[in-house]
Amino acid sequence: MDTGDTNLSNSDNRSLSPSVTPIRTYLSVLDLTPDSLEACLGVAERLKQERRMGFSAPTTSALSGHSLALLFDKPSLRTRTGFEIAMRELGGTVTCPPSADALGTREELADVARTLERWVSVAAIRTFEQSRLYEFVKATTKLRIVNALTNEEHPCQALADCLTIKERCGSVQGQTLAYIGDGNNVATSLTHAASMLGLNLRLASPKDYSLPEESLAAARQAARHGAEILQFDDPVEAVRGADAVYTDVWTSMGQEVEASHRRDAFSGYRVTDSLMNEANPDAFFMHCLPAHRGEEVDPAVIDGARSAVFDQAENRLHTQKALLLMMLQKI
Ligand code: CP
Ligand code: NVA
């Protein structure tokens, strides 16, 4: 089996590929070096190929003896199920304590972390404020911790998004992506990853809903290969010259009381066929899902030939597998 320059075998070989810097936490894409980010995508591509081998894949017991705890304060299909399947296919196990027991008021978050570190190797946490993750990280020195989405960032999604662009365009570097809509958690992580990989970004959001200044500043600081981040008011201007057009929901989990106000504020920011026609001729459509057809995107776009959304969804699995292998020092 050709495993190339990264060790993807079942053996407990702890030597990392030279391009991977070990990390204990993945709270943000910025926790990775650009080289580690690229290596992670490369491993995910290989895992995707090798999945066809089923039980003969070289990684079927790579995480044998390891357990992952999924602590989710908000609903999830792709992230939660993606991690469950990932661990199963890598030979590890998963535990899902109810959120009321692990993330509620029953006991301090620090005590949950200190208990779990005795049993499991990794915790993937989906919650509200990012500061809750910092609290968790501070309480343990052993546990690996993954941000499975917070109000501020969604770094697991960005890995799948970049893999999808790489597959469709041949490379991420030098492509141009337009992001239309809310400058939210998905937009922040995408901006971080894009700038680290040399992907140009053109962002268009309504006034008061643009990407936070600190997300922009951090992305600009991490930029490589001359990645450009440009902001526009007008979605038509933003999509001109774009190889892909991305949007996300106008109302994220936890913001439901603002839904009606947001529908008004974002009404000119729907991705329609006519907006897609302003982008490059082969431009494809991206969305992290779940989507609201008729709000941020027209059904003709998300269900049409230019849609890449289920490739993104599929790639959540392969990239989360690669991330777990990297954090447990198996690549
Ligand atoms: N895109 C995404 O994170 O999906 P879930 O909310 O279903 O996990
Ligand atoms: N911005 C969305 C992403 C869902 C995957 C939310 O936070 O609800």
Side-chain angles (χ1 to χ4, degrees):
M1 174 62 44
D2 172 21
T3 54
D5 62 347
T6 51
N7 180 354
L8 279 180
S9 72
N10 288 328
S11 69
D12 191 22
N13 184 334
R14 288 174 188 277
S15 64
L16 286 178
S17 156
S19 55
V20 174
T21 305
I23 50 164
R24 185 173 76 86
T25 64
Y26 184 61
L27 308 189
S28 170
V29 178
L30 299 170
D31 285 343
L32 297 177
T33 62
D35 284 348
S36 295
L37 174 55
E38 277 174 20
C40 185
L41 297 183
V43 169
E45 272 183 308
R46 188 162 344 141
L47 291 166
K48 186 169 183 172
Q49 294 297 322
E50 290 173 353
R51 190 164 190 253
R52 302 195 183 116
M53 299 165 71
F55 288 121
S56 320
T59 48
T60 46
S61 57
L63 297 188
S64 164
H66 288 285
S67 291
L68 164 70
L70 294 173
L71 311 179
F72 278 53
D73 246 349
K74 296 176 178 177
S76 171
L77 171 68
R78 281 146 288 269
T79 312
R80 174 193 280 278
T81 312
F83 271 124
E84 285 179 4
I85 299 171
M87 275 310 268
R88 199 174 310 141
E89 291 187 358
L90 295 171
T93 62
V94 176
T95 182
C96 307
S99 69
D101 299 350
L103 297 175
T105 52
R106 188 165 178 260
E107 62 183 310
E108 287 179 23
L109 208 50
D111 290 346
V112 175
R114 279 181 275 185
T115 301
L116 287 176
E117 76 173 3
R118 301 294 178 104
W119 299 331
V120 306
S121 315
V122 190
I125 306 173
R126 171 169 288 198
T127 189
F128 293 88
E129 295 81 22
Q130 183 103 351
S131 56
R132 302 252 290 156
L133 298 187
Y134 302 144
E135 220 181 298
F136 207 88
V137 168
K138 222 169 75 185
T140 161
T141 52
K142 286 201 300 194
L143 204 52
R144 275 84 163 174
I145 296 157
V146 175
N147 178 353
L149 181 148
T150 58
N151 293 348
E152 291 88 353
E153 300 191 37
H154 194 4
C156 292
Q157 181 67 48
L159 297 178
D161 298 339
C162 291
L163 178 58
T164 307
I165 295 167
K166 191 173 182 207
E167 287 173 339
R168 292 207 163 218
C169 301
S171 74
V172 181
Q173 188 184 328
Q175 312 300 325
T176 298
L177 175 66
Y179 180 94
I180 310 299
D182 194 14
N184 60 15
N185 44 8
V186 168
T188 287
S189 293
L190 191 59
T191 305
H192 290 159
S195 61
M196 286 163 70
L197 293 172
L199 172 68
N200 300 309
L201 258 190
R202 300 168 70 85
L203 303 158
S205 308
K207 189 174 165 303
D208 299 331
Y209 295 99
S210 52
L211 203 69
E213 268 312 313
E214 57 269 32
S215 302
L216 268 178
R220 289 205 165 109
Q221 178 129 23
R224 286 207 321 173
H225 309 301
E228 252 188 2
I229 308 170
L230 300 175
Q231 289 183 290
F232 300 85
D233 295 323
D234 181 357
V236 174
E237 264 185 69
V239 302
R240 288 211 174 112
D243 302 300
V245 177
Y246 200 121
T247 193
D248 185 17
V249 291
W250 293 341
T251 300
S252 285
M253 292 179 279
Q255 299 172 331
E256 289 77 6
V257 293
E258 300 171 27
S260 145
H261 183 70
R262 282 173 168 267
R263 264 194 294 275
D264 293 341
F266 284 87
S267 62
Y269 289 77
R270 175 173 307 136
V271 179
T272 59
D273 256 335
S274 73
L275 185 65
M276 288 299 296
N277 290 340
E278 300 287 338
N280 284 346
D282 293 334
F284 54 95
F285 171 72
M286 302 183 75
H287 193 305
C288 58
L289 301 177
H292 295 149
R293 288 169 174 77
E295 282 198 16
E296 74 273 8
V297 59
D298 271 350
V301 174
I302 191 167
D303 299 319
R306 295 191 274 200
S307 177
V309 300
F310 296 108
D311 288 345
Q312 290 172 265
E314 179 187 341
N315 286 338
R316 297 297 307 277
L317 171 65
H318 311 301
T319 48
Q320 285 176 193
K321 273 179 158 175
L323 179 69
L324 289 167
L325 288 172
M326 193 165 79
M327 294 185 79
L328 291 166
Q329 306 198 2
K330 300 294 182 185
I331 58 172

